[in-house]
Amino acid sequence: MSMLDWNMYREQIIARVGDLARLSPDTVRGYGTLGGAGNKTGHLDAKTRELIALAVAVSLRCDGCITSHVDAAIKLGATREEVAEALGVAVAINAGAAIIYSTRTLDAFAMHPAG
């Protein structure tokens, strides 16, 4: 059993972004411009960009991003195995970031007058 009805959630997100677009059209238009900028370079194919987007979405903990980029990745032919590999990269990068910030924390501790 799924934890969340992701399809319904995606539809709700789309509707709410539509509401935001009516209130602040330039904000949503600007977001669309940013999102489309990578499409114009042609260096990465669309499926690869969606797999990267999924890894970033996990790192940022953005459910709305996850549901929209899963939908796009599937439409572009991404397999479950490709998604799992991209998610493995997200796990590794987040673990690496935790290691780096752990060293920064120990440095802050060492620099503290009472440390």
Side-chain angles (χ1 to χ4, degrees), residues 25-45:
D26 288 341
T27 299
V28 176
R29 191 173 14 261
Y31 168 74
T33 299
L34 285 171
N39 298 337
K40 295 179 181 178
T41 65
H43 300 296
L44 295 174
D45 63 78

Side-chain angles (χ1 to χ4, degrees), residues 19-112:
D19 293 342
L20 177 60
R22 283 184 286 285
L23 292 168
S24 184
D26 288 341
T27 299
V28 176
R29 191 173 14 261
Y31 168 74
T33 299
L34 285 171
N39 298 337
K40 295 179 181 178
T41 65
H43 300 296
L44 295 174
D45 63 78
K47 183 171 80 170
T48 300
R49 282 193 305 278
E50 291 302 329
L51 293 170
I52 292 168
L54 283 170
V56 172
V58 166
S59 296
L60 294 175
R61 297 168 193 88
C62 178
D63 286 343
C65 299
I66 290 170
T67 189
S68 64
H69 291 290
V70 161
D71 183 60
I74 289 170
K75 287 176 180 173
L76 290 166
T79 65
R80 185 177 179 95
E81 293 78 13
E82 289 171 323
V83 169
E85 188 170 331
L87 298 177
V89 172
V91 169
I93 291 300
N94 282 287
I99 291 290
I100 297 303
Y101 273 83
S102 294
T103 66
R104 293 172 64 86
T105 302
L106 291 173
D107 191 39
F109 186 88
M111 296 298 292
H112 190 277

